[in-house]
Amino acid sequence: MMDLLKPSLDFVFKRIFGVEENRDILIDFLNAIFESANEPGVTEIEILNPFLDKTAVYDKQSVLDIKARTADHTIINIEIQLRDQKDMEKRTLYYWSKLYGSQLVQGEIYRSLCRTVTINILGFNYIDNERYHNTFHLREDNTGLILTDDIEIHMIELEKLRDIAEGQQRKLVRWMLFLLGPAKEKMEEIAMKEPAIQKALTTLEFLSQDKEIRELYEARQKALHDWNSSIHGAREDGIEEGKAIGKQEGKIEVAMHMLSKGMSRQDVATFTGLSVTEIEQLQRRQTQ
């Protein structure tokens, strides 16, 4: 039997949760998140970006997120991020602000702006606590008074759930265990307790058997792998460049000290490895 695709890959995640025929799955998933945060759930939702541009799959910088609007006009954005690209909190605020501001068209008043919720599902540990689900609002430091409920950010960390047994945990745990993609037998065991997860698993099985979907899945994996490799390579190059600069600056400091002690240019050049021309330039700098 063909292996199941990883439901945590953004491309697969969007194909399961971000299509019209699976709106009931998305509602169940969101309600699991809101239940975990002790907030009221949703009964109806409109998916704002149900279409998937295939060219985006090949674009390593594209964000395959899900945007939706509830019956009370709350805007919800769900993004799954498997690797730490650093500055997650700034990235989150940037995308949240774009989504929040985009509601306002020319001539409308600020009062028309609606609550905007960002949900980040992370494949790495980011928040410095043991909680797998953290919810953030804009509060007053001393009293905890919320300035506005228009901003709400959820951080859900999959790695903190990896060793948790499914047992009697909240529905959110079962959804996250599904996203972690354990063995098919385990996924079926989880799905038996949740009709929505059973439908999600059926969708995943269908996608896994579709040749075109699997090709797009492989292409998406490659694009993300290339992106992470290029970032890692650039970071290593930067470290090496920094070491080289530091080494050069160290030579210059030693050379200037030796010159101040009256040592000859040739001796300084021999000792530091700098050229005589570079030593002469340093001497001119000292006399300026």
Side-chain angles (χ1 to χ4, degrees):
M1 182 177 175
M2 187 174 291
D3 291 337
L4 293 178
L5 304 179
K6 292 181 180 178
S8 58
L9 187 75
D10 56 3
F11 165 69
V12 182
F13 181 83
K14 187 174 176 72
R15 286 300 301 257
I16 295 174
F17 295 92
V19 294
E20 286 294 339
E21 58 266 29
N22 283 351
R23 266 195 305 156
D24 55 333
I25 295 179
L26 180 60
I27 289 172
D28 192 90
F29 179 71
L30 288 172
N31 284 339
I33 294 172
F34 292 138
E35 176 193 67
S36 174
N38 296 314
E39 295 182 3
V42 298
T43 56
E44 188 55 52
I45 201 161
E46 174 190 2
I47 299 175
L48 301 177
N49 59 342
F51 302 107
L52 179 62
D53 182 0
K54 290 182 181 178
T55 60
V57 173
Y58 297 90
D59 182 0
K60 54 184 175 291
Q61 297 188 56
S62 64
V63 178
L64 304 186
D65 58 353
I66 298 173
K67 295 183 179 71
R69 179 167 48 223
T70 67
D72 67 356
H73 303 293
T74 294
I75 303 296
I76 300 175
N77 178 250
I78 310 171
E79 182 182 345
I80 192 158
Q81 188 76 248
L82 296 183
R83 291 180 176 83
D84 186 2
Q85 297 181 14
K86 308 302 179 184
D87 297 323
M88 191 67 204
E89 69 284 359
K90 294 184 183 295
R91 171 190 170 91
T92 297
L93 286 174
Y94 175 73
Y95 282 109
W96 177 90
S97 64
K98 288 186 68 176
L99 194 60
Y100 187 68
S102 66
Q103 301 175 57
L104 202 65
V105 299
Q106 191 171 7
E108 286 190 329
I109 58 176
Y110 292 115
R111 191 179 301 168
S112 63
L113 290 168
C114 296
R115 174 171 168 252
T116 300
V117 178
T118 290
I119 298 170
N120 287 324
I121 301 169
L122 309 179
F124 52 91
N125 291 342
Y126 194 78
I127 306 299
D128 189 19
N129 62 28
E130 298 302 315
R131 296 176 58 84
Y132 61 84
H133 179 198
N134 289 275
T135 308
F136 299 91
H137 294 87
L138 194 59
R139 302 178 187 273
E140 200 283 323
D141 285 349
N142 297 296
T143 65
L145 178 69
I146 293 182
L147 178 65
T148 174
D149 66 354
D150 275 13
I151 180 170
E152 180 173 314
I153 295 171
H154 296 257
M155 297 283 196
I156 302 172
E157 297 161 281
L158 293 174
E159 284 300 311
K160 290 180 180 178
L161 280 165
R162 188 171 290 280
D163 296 327
I164 294 179
E166 56 273 15
Q168 300 299 314
Q169 282 78 22
R170 285 182 168 183
K171 182 182 289 189
L172 179 59
V173 174
R174 292 193 280 274
W175 268 120
M176 294 302 110
L177 290 173
F178 167 78
L179 290 180
L180 280 168
K184 186 174 185 296
E185 294 74 19
K186 268 303 190 198
M187 294 180 80
E188 289 175 342
E189 186 178 338
I190 296 168
M192 284 177 62
K193 302 169 185 176
E194 300 287 349
I197 297 180
Q198 178 61 65
K199 184 176 179 181
L201 178 56
T202 300
T203 302
L204 179 62
E205 290 171 338
F206 173 79
L207 294 173
S208 300
Q209 294 172 28
D210 187 296
K211 183 178 178 181
E212 182 183 2
I213 293 295
R214 188 166 281 275
E215 288 176 355
L216 290 172
Y217 173 83
E218 298 294 342
R220 184 59 178 168
Q221 280 195 313
K222 182 179 184 303
L224 294 176
H225 176 74
D226 290 348
W227 168 252
N228 287 304
S229 294
S230 64
I231 292 296
H232 181 71
R235 189 173 295 137
E236 286 188 336
D237 289 345
I239 291 172
E240 291 303 317
E241 183 178 346
K243 287 180 179 178
I245 291 172
K247 188 175 181 180
Q248 181 72 3
E249 289 177 346
K251 287 181 179 181
I252 291 172
E253 185 177 346
V254 171
M256 293 186 73
H257 178 73
M258 293 175 72
L259 289 170
S260 69
K261 297 298 182 180
M263 296 183 67
S264 69
R265 297 173 184 170
Q266 189 58 55
D267 287 343
V268 174
T270 301
F271 186 83
T272 62
L274 298 172
S275 68
V276 174
T277 301
E278 288 174 317
I279 303 300
E280 290 174 347
Q281 291 173 345
L282 289 176
Q283 279 188 310
R284 284 196 292 271
R285 281 168 53 185
Q286 281 184 320
T287 58
Q288 288 177 351

